Amino acid sequence: MGSSASPDSTAQALSQLGDDELRVLISLTAGLDPDSLPDFAGVNLTAVIDQLRERELVHGPGAAISDAVARLLGPFPAGLAPVDTTPLDQAEITEALGRIGDDERRVLERLVWGPPQGTVSNAQRNVTWQDAASPIDRLLALRLLRPLDDRTVVLPRQIALVLRGGRLFDPQNGRPSLPRFDAAGRAPVAKQDPEMSGPRVGNDWRPVLEAASRDDLWVQLAYAEEDGTLTDAVVRVLFVAHGSAYLVRRAGARLNIASNRIVSARLLEPVVINDPVLEQQN
């Protein structure tokens, strides 16, 4: 399967995976070698990857991930940030973690299983260890957090993996949660019905969305645009009615999505507007 794979067939293939297969696929999507992770001790990785290749979820000798898989699994596979261009090495990570206290560790614990980014004020502040006056200051000074923009910091993936004890998953506590996908794929819907125009999802995602609305949880949503393009977004569900989900993007913009355009919906953490607020504002 190349980058032109349809979201229909990809979602259907994903829905048929067992937990081990899905975890291996997520690790590949995160750019990690599953053979190097303790999560897969005792798993026949050759057989699993062969199965993923047969389902056309990976391709080539290096088990490359298709664009459709990457889009469906979202921007933070396994709750990890993208690869850092200037990562700390193991010795630097060990030294930095040895210098922080309980307050700093509590901040890191909020991000370690994903999503890996949070909101602070003046994230791009110029701060050194000597003049650090808050947990966020100290984490930024030690490069245990990195600024993405003036309001957002991210936990680098190599820091998260160390804090996870080298594991990608914590199955005992269900962290990070495994995504679930539509088992029936999608089929065309008659154009004369304005409430049900476009591609239909075989499974009904309304119970998932209603649970998100009731419990005020973020949702990782993948859906088809009118032209068939697959889009994913982290959204807050306001309500579901009249064949549509009424949503707010994590970034703030509202949108309404016809329920029959939804390809997958995965419950995330409780809503904290934009991202977890990691420090109190004065």
Side-chain angles (χ1 to χ4, degrees):
M1 181 188 296
S3 60
S4 62
S6 73
D8 307 62
S9 59
T10 303
Q12 186 173 17
L14 287 170
S15 75
Q16 297 167 355
L17 298 181
D19 285 354
D20 280 344
E21 293 171 311
L22 186 54
R23 290 190 182 102
V24 170
L25 183 64
I26 290 170
S27 72
L28 293 169
T29 306
L32 298 171
D33 178 5
D35 198 43
S36 69
L37 297 168
D39 304 77
F40 304 114
V43 175
N44 186 338
L45 289 172
T46 299
V48 169
I49 292 173
D50 283 346
Q51 291 169 4
L52 295 176
R53 194 175 283 112
E54 288 176 7
R55 296 181 188 274
E56 298 186 325
L57 294 170
V58 303
H59 58 91
I65 299 298
S66 73
D67 289 348
V69 168
R71 293 290 297 276
L72 282 168
L73 291 180
F76 305 124
L80 293 175
V83 174
D84 196 330
T85 57
T86 57
L88 299 177
D89 62 32
Q90 187 62 49
E92 290 171 320
I93 294 171
T94 300
E95 180 184 0
L97 290 174
R99 299 177 70 178
I100 64 174
D102 290 343
D103 289 343
E104 291 77 30
R105 288 188 178 276
R106 277 191 285 271
V107 173
L108 298 180
E109 286 168 2
R110 296 186 64 183
L111 306 176
V112 66
W113 292 102
Q117 63 186 43
T119 296
V120 301
S121 61
N122 191 21
Q124 294 175 321
R125 68 192 77 166
N126 185 14
V127 61
T128 65
W129 179 257
Q130 288 71 26
D131 59 21
S134 71
I136 299 298
D137 280 351
R138 289 186 281 275
L139 292 170
L140 287 169
L142 293 168
R143 297 172 65 199
L144 293 174
L145 291 179
R146 299 287 184 92
L148 289 181
D149 54 41
D150 197 49
R151 297 185 63 252
T152 310
V153 294
V154 65
L155 176 65
R157 63 161 52 201
Q158 72 274 18
I159 312 297
L161 286 169
V162 169
L163 293 172
R164 295 182 187 189
R167 299 187 65 88
L168 195 57
F169 298 96
D170 177 12
Q172 185 174 354
N173 295 300
R175 302 180 301 182
S177 60
L178 292 178
R180 300 300 177 189
F181 297 91
D182 168 38
R186 297 179 293 161
V189 177
K191 293 183 178 179
Q192 61 267 26
D193 184 350
E195 287 289 329
M196 301 297 285
S197 61
R200 178 192 293 270
V201 173
N203 281 3
D204 181 10
W205 292 103
R206 184 176 182 124
V208 176
L209 299 176
E210 288 179 338
S213 177
R214 181 188 66 241
D215 298 332
D216 207 10
L217 302 173
W218 290 115
V219 174
Q220 181 77 50
L221 193 73
Y223 60 93
E225 303 280 7
E226 290 189 5
D227 63 0
T229 303
L230 185 66
T231 299
D232 62 81
V234 176
V235 298
R236 184 184 192 184
V237 182
L238 302 179
F239 60 94
V240 183
H242 311 299
S244 292
Y246 295 80
L247 314 164
V248 179
R249 287 180 181 269
R250 178 168 255 166
R254 294 197 176 211
L255 71 160
N256 303 334
I257 304 295
S259 300
N260 57 355
R261 294 188 182 278
I262 296 173
V263 177
S264 68
R266 178 164 61 100
L267 297 177
L268 299 175
E269 75 281 0
V271 166
V272 179
I273 299 303
N274 294 321
D275 284 302
V277 177
L278 300 178
E279 64 183 356
Q280 297 298 318
Q281 307 295 319
N282 293 327

PDB file of all heavy atoms in Angstrom, residues 109-128:
ATOM      1  N   GLU A 109       4.830  13.841  34.348  1.00  0.00           N
ATOM      2  CA  GLU A 109       3.872  12.737  34.424  1.00  0.00           C
ATOM      3  C   GLU A 109       2.576  13.056  33.695  1.00  0.00           C
ATOM      4  O   GLU A 109       1.878  12.145  33.227  1.00  0.00           O
ATOM      5  CB  GLU A 109       3.584  12.397  35.889  1.00  0.00           C
ATOM      6  CG  GLU A 109       4.738  11.644  36.566  1.00  0.00           C
ATOM      7  CD  GLU A 109       4.578  11.559  38.067  1.00  0.00           C
ATOM      8  OE1 GLU A 109       3.546  12.061  38.589  1.00  0.00           O
ATOM      9  OE2 GLU A 109       5.478  11.008  38.729  1.00  0.00           O
ATOM     10  N   ARG A 110       2.250  14.339  33.575  1.00  0.00           N
ATOM     11  CA  ARG A 110       1.018  14.709  32.870  1.00  0.00           C
ATOM     12  C   ARG A 110       1.144  14.510  31.369  1.00  0.00           C
ATOM     13  O   ARG A 110       0.136  14.432  30.659  1.00  0.00           O
ATOM     14  CB  ARG A 110       0.659  16.165  33.171  1.00  0.00           C
ATOM     15  CG  ARG A 110       0.338  16.434  34.623  1.00  0.00           C
ATOM     16  CD  ARG A 110      -0.145  17.850  34.826  1.00  0.00           C
ATOM     17  NE  ARG A 110      -1.414  18.078  34.133  1.00  0.00           N
ATOM     18  CZ  ARG A 110      -2.032  19.247  34.099  1.00  0.00           C
ATOM     19  NH1 ARG A 110      -1.492  20.296  34.691  1.00  0.00           N
ATOM     20  NH2 ARG A 110      -3.181  19.388  33.456  1.00  0.00           N
ATOM     21  N   LEU A 111       2.371  14.443  30.869  1.00  0.00           N
ATOM     22  CA  LEU A 111       2.609  14.366  29.428  1.00  0.00           C
ATOM     23  C   LEU A 111       3.177  13.030  28.968  1.00  0.00           C
ATOM     24  O   LEU A 111       3.150  12.737  27.775  1.00  0.00           O
ATOM     25  CB  LEU A 111       3.584  15.479  29.007  1.00  0.00           C
ATOM     26  CG  LEU A 111       3.219  16.912  29.388  1.00  0.00           C
ATOM     27  CD1 LEU A 111       4.336  17.859  28.973  1.00  0.00           C
ATOM     28  CD2 LEU A 111       1.904  17.334  28.752  1.00  0.00           C
ATOM     29  N   VAL A 112       3.669  12.219  29.906  1.00  0.00           N
ATOM     30  CA  VAL A 112       4.510  11.094  29.515  1.00  0.00           C
ATOM     31  C   VAL A 112       3.765  10.056  28.686  1.00  0.00           C
ATOM     32  O   VAL A 112       4.357   9.443  27.787  1.00  0.00           O
ATOM     33  CB  VAL A 112       5.169  10.461  30.759  1.00  0.00           C
ATOM     34  CG1 VAL A 112       4.132   9.816  31.676  1.00  0.00           C
ATOM     35  CG2 VAL A 112       6.225   9.432  30.347  1.00  0.00           C
ATOM     36  N   TRP A 113       2.465   9.841  28.927  1.00  0.00           N
ATOM     37  CA  TRP A 113       1.732   8.845  28.147  1.00  0.00           C
ATOM     38  C   TRP A 113       0.911   9.487  27.037  1.00  0.00           C
ATOM     39  O   TRP A 113       0.133   8.809  26.376  1.00  0.00           O
ATOM     40  CB  TRP A 113       0.838   8.006  29.067  1.00  0.00           C
ATOM     41  CG  TRP A 113       1.651   7.143  29.985  1.00  0.00           C
ATOM     42  CD1 TRP A 113       1.917   7.358  31.305  1.00  0.00           C
ATOM     43  CD2 TRP A 113       2.362   5.950  29.628  1.00  0.00           C
ATOM     44  NE1 TRP A 113       2.734   6.373  31.793  1.00  0.00           N
ATOM     45  CE2 TRP A 113       3.026   5.493  30.791  1.00  0.00           C
ATOM     46  CE3 TRP A 113       2.503   5.220  28.450  1.00  0.00           C
ATOM     47  CZ2 TRP A 113       3.807   4.337  30.808  1.00  0.00           C
ATOM     48  CZ3 TRP A 113       3.283   4.077  28.454  1.00  0.00           C
ATOM     49  CH2 TRP A 113       3.917   3.643  29.621  1.00  0.00           C
ATOM     50  N   GLY A 114       1.087  10.787  26.830  1.00  0.00           N
ATOM     51  CA  GLY A 114       0.456  11.484  25.733  1.00  0.00           C
ATOM     52  C   GLY A 114      -0.925  12.029  26.072  1.00  0.00           C
ATOM     53  O   GLY A 114      -1.550  11.573  27.023  1.00  0.00           O
ATOM     54  N   PRO A 115      -1.347  13.009  25.245  1.00  0.00           N
ATOM     55  CA  PRO A 115      -0.551  13.731  24.265  1.00  0.00           C
ATOM     56  C   PRO A 115       0.641  14.424  24.920  1.00  0.00           C
ATOM     57  O   PRO A 115       0.560  14.812  26.087  1.00  0.00           O
ATOM     58  CB  PRO A 115      -1.538  14.752  23.679  1.00  0.00           C
ATOM     59  CG  PRO A 115      -2.895  14.184  23.970  1.00  0.00           C
ATOM     60  CD  PRO A 115      -2.743  13.473  25.272  1.00  0.00           C
ATOM     61  N   PRO A 116       1.736  14.607  24.166  1.00  0.00           N
ATOM     62  CA  PRO A 116       2.984  15.034  24.780  1.00  0.00           C
ATOM     63  C   PRO A 116       3.171  16.543  24.877  1.00  0.00           C
ATOM     64  O   PRO A 116       4.269  16.992  25.215  1.00  0.00           O
ATOM     65  CB  PRO A 116       4.029  14.427  23.842  1.00  0.00           C
ATOM     66  CG  PRO A 116       3.363  14.479  22.505  1.00  0.00           C
ATOM     67  CD  PRO A 116       1.903  14.201  22.760  1.00  0.00           C
ATOM     68  N   GLN A 117       2.157  17.326  24.572  1.00  0.00           N
ATOM     69  CA  GLN A 117       2.326  18.766  24.605  1.00  0.00           C
ATOM     70  C   GLN A 117       1.343  19.407  25.566  1.00  0.00           C
ATOM     71  O   GLN A 117       0.276  18.873  25.843  1.00  0.00           O
ATOM     72  CB  GLN A 117       2.197  19.365  23.211  1.00  0.00           C
ATOM     73  CG  GLN A 117       0.849  19.180  22.552  1.00  0.00           C
ATOM     74  CD  GLN A 117       0.855  19.672  21.119  1.00  0.00           C
ATOM     75  OE1 GLN A 117       1.786  19.428  20.367  1.00  0.00           O
ATOM     76  NE2 GLN A 117      -0.199  20.376  20.739  1.00  0.00           N
ATOM     77  N   GLY A 118       1.742  20.575  26.095  1.00  0.00           N
ATOM     78  CA  GLY A 118       0.925  21.290  27.054  1.00  0.00           C
ATOM     79  C   GLY A 118       1.074  22.789  26.865  1.00  0.00           C
ATOM     80  O   GLY A 118       1.942  23.264  26.126  1.00  0.00           O
ATOM     81  N   THR A 119       0.206  23.531  27.538  1.00  0.00           N
ATOM     82  CA  THR A 119       0.157  24.975  27.381  1.00  0.00           C
ATOM     83  C   THR A 119       0.795  25.672  28.573  1.00  0.00           C
ATOM     84  O   THR A 119       0.513  25.341  29.723  1.00  0.00           O
ATOM     85  CB  THR A 119      -1.307  25.443  27.242  1.00  0.00           C
ATOM     86  OG1 THR A 119      -1.846  24.889  26.041  1.00  0.00           O
ATOM     87  CG2 THR A 119      -1.402  26.959  27.180  1.00  0.00           C
ATOM     88  N   VAL A 120       1.647  26.631  28.281  1.00  0.00           N
ATOM     89  CA  VAL A 120       2.241  27.505  29.293  1.00  0.00           C
ATOM     90  C   VAL A 120       2.278  28.912  28.714  1.00  0.00           C
ATOM     91  O   VAL A 120       2.102  29.116  27.509  1.00  0.00           O
ATOM     92  CB  VAL A 120       3.677  27.072  29.686  1.00  0.00           C
ATOM     93  CG1 VAL A 120       3.697  25.650  30.225  1.00  0.00           C
ATOM     94  CG2 VAL A 120       4.624  27.202  28.508  1.00  0.00           C
ATOM     95  N   SER A 121       2.522  29.893  29.540  1.00  0.00           N
ATOM     96  CA  SER A 121       2.720  31.250  29.042  1.00  0.00           C
ATOM     97  C   SER A 121       4.199  31.451  28.714  1.00  0.00           C
ATOM     98  O   SER A 121       5.072  30.906  29.384  1.00  0.00           O
ATOM     99  CB  SER A 121       2.272  32.272  30.087  1.00  0.00           C
ATOM    100  OG  SER A 121       3.028  32.133  31.275  1.00  0.00           O
ATOM    101  N   ASN A 122       4.455  32.206  27.653  1.00  0.00           N
ATOM    102  CA  ASN A 122       5.826  32.558  27.287  1.00  0.00           C
ATOM    103  C   ASN A 122       6.722  31.319  27.199  1.00  0.00           C
ATOM    104  O   ASN A 122       7.778  31.242  27.828  1.00  0.00           O
ATOM    105  CB  ASN A 122       6.394  33.574  28.294  1.00  0.00           C
ATOM    106  CG  ASN A 122       7.708  34.175  27.826  1.00  0.00           C
ATOM    107  OD1 ASN A 122       8.016  34.158  26.635  1.00  0.00           O
ATOM    108  ND2 ASN A 122       8.496  34.684  28.757  1.00  0.00           N
ATOM    109  N   ALA A 123       6.273  30.347  26.406  1.00  0.00           N
ATOM    110  CA  ALA A 123       7.005  29.077  26.326  1.00  0.00           C
ATOM    111  C   ALA A 123       8.412  29.253  25.775  1.00  0.00           C
ATOM    112  O   ALA A 123       9.300  28.455  26.080  1.00  0.00           O
ATOM    113  CB  ALA A 123       6.228  28.091  25.444  1.00  0.00           C
ATOM    114  N   GLN A 124       8.639  30.282  24.987  1.00  0.00           N
ATOM    115  CA  GLN A 124       9.946  30.484  24.373  1.00  0.00           C
ATOM    116  C   GLN A 124      10.840  31.400  25.201  1.00  0.00           C
ATOM    117  O   GLN A 124      11.796  31.991  24.688  1.00  0.00           O
ATOM    118  CB  GLN A 124       9.765  31.025  22.952  1.00  0.00           C
ATOM    119  CG  GLN A 124       9.106  29.995  22.031  1.00  0.00           C
ATOM    120  CD  GLN A 124       8.812  30.536  20.653  1.00  0.00           C
ATOM    121  OE1 GLN A 124       8.402  31.677  20.495  1.00  0.00           O
ATOM    122  NE2 GLN A 124       9.012  29.710  19.639  1.00  0.00           N
ATOM    123  N   ARG A 125      10.525  31.482  26.487  1.00  0.00           N
ATOM    124  CA  ARG A 125      11.332  32.295  27.399  1.00  0.00           C
ATOM    125  C   ARG A 125      12.791  31.838  27.382  1.00  0.00           C
ATOM    126  O   ARG A 125      13.085  30.657  27.239  1.00  0.00           O
ATOM    127  CB  ARG A 125      10.772  32.174  28.821  1.00  0.00           C
ATOM    128  CG  ARG A 125      10.942  30.788  29.428  1.00  0.00           C
ATOM    129  CD  ARG A 125      10.147  30.573  30.695  1.00  0.00           C
ATOM    130  NE  ARG A 125       8.734  30.349  30.406  1.00  0.00           N
ATOM    131  CZ  ARG A 125       7.853  29.877  31.302  1.00  0.00           C
ATOM    132  NH1 ARG A 125       8.237  29.612  32.537  1.00  0.00           N
ATOM    133  NH2 ARG A 125       6.599  29.702  30.975  1.00  0.00           N
ATOM    134  N   ASN A 126      13.679  32.783  27.542  1.00  0.00           N
ATOM    135  CA  ASN A 126      15.102  32.481  27.637  1.00  0.00           C
ATOM    136  C   ASN A 126      15.439  32.275  29.108  1.00  0.00           C
ATOM    137  O   ASN A 126      15.472  33.229  29.888  1.00  0.00           O
ATOM    138  CB  ASN A 126      15.928  33.628  27.043  1.00  0.00           C
ATOM    139  CG  ASN A 126      17.406  33.310  26.995  1.00  0.00           C
ATOM    140  OD1 ASN A 126      17.794  32.148  27.158  1.00  0.00           O
ATOM    141  ND2 ASN A 126      18.233  34.309  26.798  1.00  0.00           N
ATOM    142  N   VAL A 127      15.671  31.039  29.512  1.00  0.00           N
ATOM    143  CA  VAL A 127      15.850  30.733  30.927  1.00  0.00           C
ATOM    144  C   VAL A 127      17.038  29.799  31.112  1.00  0.00           C
ATOM    145  O   VAL A 127      17.275  28.912  30.286  1.00  0.00           O
ATOM    146  CB  VAL A 127      14.561  30.111  31.522  1.00  0.00           C
ATOM    147  CG1 VAL A 127      14.209  28.804  30.833  1.00  0.00           C
ATOM    148  CG2 VAL A 127      14.674  29.922  33.017  1.00  0.00           C
ATOM    149  N   THR A 128      17.785  30.046  32.167  1.00  0.00           N
ATOM    150  CA  THR A 128      18.894  29.161  32.527  1.00  0.00           C
ATOM    151  C   THR A 128      18.587  28.511  33.862  1.00  0.00           C
ATOM    152  O   THR A 128      17.688  28.937  34.598  1.00  0.00           O
ATOM    153  CB  THR A 128      20.209  29.943  32.633  1.00  0.00           C
ATOM    154  OG1 THR A 128      20.104  30.874  33.733  1.00  0.00           O
ATOM    155  CG2 THR A 128      20.510  30.699  31.341  1.00  0.00           C
TER     156      THR A 128
END
